[in-house]
Amino acid sequence: MLAKLLAGTAALLAILLISGHARPGHVRPGHDFRPDVARPNRPNVVLIFMDDLGYGDLSCYGALGYRTPNLDRLAAEGTRFTNFLVAQPVCSASRAALLTGCYPNRLGISGALNPTALVGLHPEEETIAELLKEQGYRTGIFGKWHLGHRQPFLPLQQGFDEYLGIPYSNDMWPQHPNQANLKFPPLPLIEGNQPVKTLASLTDQDSLTTALTERAVSFVRRNRRNPFFLYLPFPMPHVPLAVSGKHRNSSGAGLYADVITEVDWAVGQILASLKQTGVEKNTLVIFTSDNGPWLAYGEHAGSSGGLREGKQTTFEGGNRVPCIVRWPGEVPAGQVSNQLLSTLDVLPTVARLCGARLPRRPIDGIDVQAAWRGTATESPRQTFLYYFRENNLEAVRKGDWKLVLAHPGVSYEAGKPGRDGKPGQTPGNHAFEGALYDLRHDPGERYDRQAMHPDVVSDLQQLAEQARADLGDNLQQRPGSNRRAPGTVAKAD
């Protein structure tokens, strides 16, 4: 504990010496923060995090050809956010940001960690689970972890009391289409710290959504008399797509829609358990996704809902995802909000609502409780940094303006989609030129406004320079002053 405190203090002093003050959207530990301790009944928290679910994949967000009635009901009973961004459009990086409130490149986490990785979320970083556990919450995770599969990085070492799930993506297994080059080992199902089963076939994966849902329902029932934090990061609809027999061919719109139908059923089961145990009114439910659709997989991928590009890109199709928040009597029912929010903001907001402290190390999230409650007259978050790959600053945003910086990147529009569960040919280093987009009028990012608004370009370039000084930018060989190292283990045998 003393080591954590000293490390956090040193990091804070370094920031203050460099900048002289806190940067916009950057939270200093213990500064201007008062837990909402006046509330007599701290809410339970259910955080549902999908994998590769696109902005247009729910019927309440415009999906066509199938329905998601349970998620539509969740939206009708809560608030649906239409301008909600993940910190980075890829698995491990996105999850690190959600659980810590930090841009993942601040933590040294990038990309999607594979079975050979010797790094993970550093034990000195503090997760939502750790903060809530200090307040007497029971904590459980059932699903995909993907923040380091070596034991020092697994969930039980990061604040969770219970864990059942897979350690990384469900396509990191011997049946990957490119297995000859990747050489992935068998995919384990882990309970606690130990593998309990090998997922050797799609038939094994078919039962995964149901098994995780049943364990989540059990967790709710067992903890109905004390506060709990339930984190449910479903492995679906990441490829390979798998669905139980009871939902196969149920949508009438293909395998991907069947998978979404089963996920919707799973959400319905969780909501029913909250009602049946009498904790529904005092439970905050958050539903969102880790990034946009993996469009390389054609009909096995979701929809960006008309946004540009998808997963692995910093265009809106990669970073903007569905987000629904429900808390009866506290979050307005049936509302739609276009305020700018991010997964970065989940930790500080939940911490405030649950009477928990913030992490001792600086974070990037802000308390957006006013936006969730519908009382904010403007977006609590005004800026956002679009980083990708190891540490490339590819775009910056302020209000509705987004400045895309020239960079190489994945482009699905410049390639061809795959089919039948195999990826298409997608350029990985397409040369994107710089451009300025007005996302209020042009969410599809098609019309460059640089020539019309040089003052906006200049303002956003200053924001980009601040980001480079803080977090760095590999595109300009800038290291940044305030990045932290990931956790590491010795080389495996």
Side-chain angles (χ1 to χ4, degrees):
M1 185 63 71
L2 178 60
K4 285 190 175 185
L5 181 59
L6 291 174
T9 302
L12 173 58
L13 289 174
I15 290 172
L16 295 179
L17 287 171
I18 292 167
S19 65
H21 55 81
R23 293 178 300 281
H26 189 86
V27 177
R28 291 184 289 170
H31 179 73
D32 294 333
F33 179 79
R34 297 291 185 273
D36 194 1
V37 294
R39 181 169 304 283
N41 296 315
R42 295 168 298 168
N44 305 307
V45 180
V46 175
L47 176 55
I48 304 172
F49 204 50
M50 303 310 302
D51 199 341
D52 291 4
L53 182 82
Y55 185 82
D57 280 346
L58 309 181
S59 46
C60 56
Y61 278 84
L64 301 175
Y66 61 91
R67 303 293 299 176
T68 52
N70 291 303
L71 283 158
D72 295 352
R73 177 167 62 88
L74 186 70
E77 294 172 352
T79 296
R80 180 168 63 87
F81 293 92
T82 62
N83 225 331
F84 187 83
L85 304 178
V86 298
Q88 283 195 27
V90 67
C91 298
S92 296
S94 183
R95 290 156 203 275
L98 175 73
L99 291 182
T100 68
C102 295
Y103 282 110
N105 42 319
R106 185 178 299 285
L107 311 180
I109 300 294
S110 62
L113 302 179
N114 66 37
T116 66
L118 300 176
V119 301
L121 184 64
H122 199 292
E124 292 294 327
E125 304 297 345
E126 295 178 290
T127 68
I128 300 175
E130 289 176 290
L131 301 179
L132 296 189
K133 191 171 181 178
E134 286 183 352
Q135 299 302 311
Y137 277 69
R138 293 289 295 174
T139 57
I141 167 178
F142 308 106
K144 171 180 162 180
W145 175 238
H146 217 170
L147 289 174
H149 67 284
R150 311 290 178 179
Q151 184 166 324
F153 310 132
L154 286 175
L156 296 195
Q157 285 67 249
Q158 302 283 5
F160 288 96
D161 297 313
E162 300 180 30
Y163 170 47
L164 176 69
I166 56 175
Y168 32 73
S169 294
N170 66 319
D171 69 333
M172 294 180 177
W173 68 333
Q175 295 191 50
H176 192 282
N178 195 23
Q179 174 65 3
N181 296 322
L182 296 172
K183 304 185 187 308
F184 287 137
L187 176 64
L189 180 69
I190 296 176
E191 182 158 16
N193 284 323
Q194 300 299 324
V196 293
K197 180 180 179 180
T198 295
L199 302 177
S201 67
L202 271 178
T203 301
D204 291 331
Q205 291 210 30
D206 283 346
S207 61
L208 200 52
T209 297
T210 295
L212 296 172
T213 302
E214 290 174 347
R215 184 62 67 91
V217 168
S218 170
F219 180 83
V220 169
R221 290 174 176 167
R222 287 183 282 112
N223 292 285
R224 63 187 181 277
R225 300 191 188 282
N226 50 265
F228 62 80
F229 170 52
L230 168 60
Y231 177 40
L232 193 54
F234 281 112
M236 295 293 146
H238 193 290
V239 292
L241 299 179
V243 64
S244 66
K246 62 181 178 293
H247 292 283
R248 190 175 297 277
N249 300 319
S250 62
S251 69
L255 179 57
Y256 188 87
D258 291 345
V259 170
I260 300 301
T261 297
E262 181 162 35
V263 167
D264 183 75
W265 164 84
V267 171
Q269 294 296 299
I270 301 300
L271 298 180
S273 72
L274 298 176
K275 186 173 183 178
Q276 292 164 3
T277 54
V279 301
E280 179 182 45
K281 292 185 178 180
N282 196 42
T283 299
L284 169 67
V285 178
I286 306 162
F287 177 94
T288 187
S289 177
D290 68 341
N291 47 247
W294 204 351
L295 298 175
Y297 281 85
E299 84 280 13
H300 280 214
S303 166
S304 65
L307 301 173
R308 185 174 176 181
E309 298 285 1
K311 173 181 178 174
Q312 297 181 321
T313 83
T314 49
F315 291 98
E316 293 300 287
N319 282 78
R320 194 183 302 198
V321 294
C323 178
I324 303 170
V325 178
R326 187 193 79 169
W327 185 10
E330 302 290 343
V331 171
Q335 297 293 305
V336 177
S337 171
N338 64 358
Q339 294 180 337
L340 176 61
L341 303 176
S342 170
T343 48
L344 294 166
D345 307 324
V346 171
L347 181 145
T349 308
V350 167
R352 176 174 175 80
L353 292 172
C354 297
R357 63 174 176 84
L358 288 182
R360 294 183 175 89
R361 291 178 165 186
I363 66 173
D364 300 290
I366 59 177
D367 176 11
V368 297
Q369 180 181 175
W372 288 8
R373 293 185 182 279
T375 60
T377 56
E378 61 179 20
S379 296
R381 171 172 291 279
Q382 291 295 314
T383 62
F384 187 81
L385 310 176
Y386 294 79
Y387 275 92
F388 193 53
R389 297 194 170 175
E390 182 180 353
N391 200 37
N392 291 2
L393 182 61
E394 297 185 355
V396 295
R397 178 172 174 178
K398 188 173 184 180
D400 291 322
W401 290 107
K402 179 177 179 179
L403 180 66
V404 172
L405 306 165
H407 67 276
V410 170
S411 176
Y412 302 106
E413 295 179 1
K416 294 182 178 180
R419 60 183 302 171
D420 299 328
K422 296 181 180 180
Q425 297 300 313
T426 305
N429 287 296
H430 181 80
F432 289 106
E433 298 180 353
L436 176 69
Y437 298 113
D438 177 358
L439 295 180
R440 179 182 178 188
H441 297 99
D442 179 25
E445 298 172 281
R446 299 297 176 184
Y447 305 102
D448 183 7
R449 305 294 182 92
Q450 289 185 96
M452 300 172 62
H453 299 280
D455 56 330
V456 176
V457 172
S458 178
D459 187 32
L460 288 172
Q461 286 175 338
Q462 291 182 34
L463 177 60
E465 276 302 299
Q466 294 172 15
R468 292 177 180 122
D470 179 24
L471 290 172
D473 180 5
N474 285 4
L475 293 173
Q476 294 194 3
Q477 291 79 52
R478 302 273 291 276
S481 300
N482 299 301
R483 296 174 66 199
R484 309 196 284 261
T488 60
V489 296
K491 186 174 182 180
D493 293 332

